[in-house]
Amino acid sequence: MSTQVAQAAKKVGKQSLRFTNPAEIWSTFTVVGPMEGKGPLGDYFDTVLEQTYYGEKCWERAETKMLEEAIKNAVQKANLQEQDIDFCITSDLLNQCTASSFAARGCQIPNLGIYSACAGLSEGLILGSMALDGGFARHVVVGVSSHHDAAERQYRYPTELGVQRPPYAQWTVTGAGAIVLGEPRYGIRITEATVGCVQDLGIKDPLDMGSAMAPAAADTIQAHFDDFDRGPDYFDLIVTGDLARVGSVILRELLKERNIDLGERHTDCGTLVYDKRQDAHSGGSGLGCSGTVFPAHLLRKMAEGELRRILFAGTGSLHSPTTSFQGESIPTICHAVVVEVTE
Amino acid sequence: MSTQVAQAAKKVGKQSLRFTNPAEIWSTFTVVGPMEGKGPLGDYFDTVLEQTYYGEKCWERAETKMLEEAIKNAVQKANLQEQDIDFCITSDLLNQCTASSFAARGCQIPNLGIYSACAGLSEGLILGSMALDGGFARHVVVGVSSHHDAAERQYRYPTELGVQRPPYAQWTVTGAGAIVLGEPRYGIRITEATVGCVQDLGIKDPLDMGSAMAPAAADTIQAHFDDFDRGPDYFDLIVTGDLARVGSVILRELLKERNIDLGERHTDCGTLVYDKRQDAHSGGSGLGCSGTVFPAHLLRKMAEGELRRILFAGTGSLHSPTTSFQGESIPTICHAVVVEVTE
């Protein structure tokens, strides 16, 4: 028999949170690979690498170095020292989240590792906001990364094989991004959040992640609207993480069936990061996709006054090569945060 | 230039937290494999499987089923429904945390995936406590798992090969454990916590995880004592996660060098779970080790009045087979929680 349960003070509806003391974004730092640097957002990233090895012997070490630099530089840009940071929240795609762990080894900050695939940045921003709002921290850094070549050989084929990719495939972004959260100070705040449930509509093709993740995005965005009793017009922009072109179309269709019309208000980090001529097929993916596009492009637009309130809905595909070989379908998740410019 | 930074309200010292409204442990549920069932704690686990496949086609699916059952049964034992749970925090050892994601797919609870290897349970208890204390949740379930055969073939050799193991090797526990946290009600509370930094003293042998993790355990335990200005005699017992026999000796030595004598107050879940005759060499490891021994054995002792205050320090080895093949040493982490019986 279930007890009648009252709601937690900061919980809104079934899956959402409203922060009493919203965390502010104090600084960001992004490092991307050469291909991302040549893309339409190339000018906005803090560091663009000349080559994907970044002077290391293997791509996994390059990814670690990128993430460590993103974290350290974001802390420095916030005019803080590492010892001022209460928690470092990290995530990546490598097996056993090793880019995170090896990067955290280089920063002696209490570390909380998380994993929700490419929804890592939004999960990290939610947990960081909870830590600040709850009085557990004054400064948190969230750092995420992915590396195309390391991901490709781990998830798909030996990179050197050059296997042909279907047109709906996505290109894992080589990128690392870090965001420092602190108390209200500069004006861009994370005011609300919606935590996703794991969804699975039966997609089994691990190259078709956009189709697999679209239902999770639809579910979390709808839950957000339901919990707060609002619609798409509440936001200047609704930004998904890495649905790319294929998944974005499906998301809009799924929401239309539920009488939610995103109209022109939707964009996706995976469609923004590459030019169509860059042969990235459906678009970008990976933690480095929203991990760099959200801070370098969207937060910049907010700082410049072009956007005032956005819903950032990070999307993650929770499969592994093993589960795909074992014939499993792909569970997916989406976590969303509301980011607002406040005076 | 660094700003002079004040401390967050609930932060203590460099790495620790003191909860204002400590989370209480409402219920636990454990599922273990046949070998763990034959061990010295066999009588205390809720479910002991007759075979490691648990009726599934592969060990990975068996692990998923174990974790899903642990979560669902823990919720039921707390007299709650799934919709009463605000967050499900999950972790496991399989690549891309798939046991967690696939188990979470079966429970429509907002899911937060975490990863700090075998320190997953203590990280989950910390984040769950933060969610409750911060007013973000009324009930949280933390679920973790590992499976010997799935871990063996992922981290080491094909299970069927039967490769000889060095005497300091550990045996991954086949087990899943879930803990429901809620508001004060029954008397066993998580009152304080210490979040670990990633440590690495250069151990490169992935079979020697006890030696690799001991420095992280020493570091977090010392940080806890420093932050709260206390020593081992404050606790009835200091319990590490899975240092096993080899790592436990090193931990005590490392702390002795720093003038901290754990004496008879230290035990380790990895040394408790198997009988020496069970051929598990140094002892147990894996998220399922502390994930089942902590709830089934230690919390039972607390409920029976035998222990009143313990420090549970979960330990995690953050390597992957890829990083080991690439010649990297093993970064490790330890997160600790204080668990107390209160009237």
Side-chain angles (χ1 to χ4, degrees), chain B residues 85 118 150 154 164 214 243-244 266 296 312 317 323-324:
Chain B
I85 307 289
C118 310
Q154 176 181 287
Q164 200 176 2
L243 296 181
H266 173 247
F312 167 56
S317 182
T323 58
S324 293

Side-chain angles (χ1 to χ4, degrees), chain B residues 83-103:
Chain B
Q83 60 263 34
D84 300 328
I85 307 289
D86 297 294
F87 301 116
C88 179
I89 300 174
T90 49
S91 198
D92 67 281
L93 285 176
L94 295 181
N95 282 345
Q96 279 63 55
C97 300
T98 45
S100 294
S101 300
F102 281 79

Side-chain angles (χ1 to χ4, degrees), chain A residues 2 6 10-11 60-61 84 86 93 96 105 108 111 113 115 123 135 138 196 198 200 326 328 335, chain B residues 2 6 10-11 60-61 84 86 93 96 105 108 111 113 115 123 134-135 138 196 198 200 326 328 335:
Chain A
S2 172
K10 293 168 192 172
K11 188 92 188 281
E60 290 77 12
R61 288 196 190 182
D84 299 328
D86 297 294
L93 285 176
Q96 279 64 56
R105 185 178 67 176
Q108 282 302 295
N111 185 251
Y115 187 78
E123 180 179 337
R138 303 238 324 162
V198 176
D200 187 343
Q326 290 173 344
E328 297 275 10
H335 300 304
Chain B
S2 174
K10 294 168 190 173
K11 188 93 188 279
E60 290 77 10
R61 287 196 191 184
D84 300 328
D86 297 294
L93 285 176
Q96 279 63 55
R105 186 177 65 175
Q108 281 304 296
N111 186 251
Y115 187 78
E123 180 180 337
R138 304 237 326 160
V198 175
D200 186 341
Q326 289 174 344
E328 297 276 9
H335 300 304

Side-chain angles (χ1 to χ4, degrees), chain B residues 194-205:
Chain B
T194 301
V195 179
C197 300
V198 175
Q199 302 299 332
D200 186 341
L201 262 69
I203 301 285
K204 289 194 174 188
D205 179 352

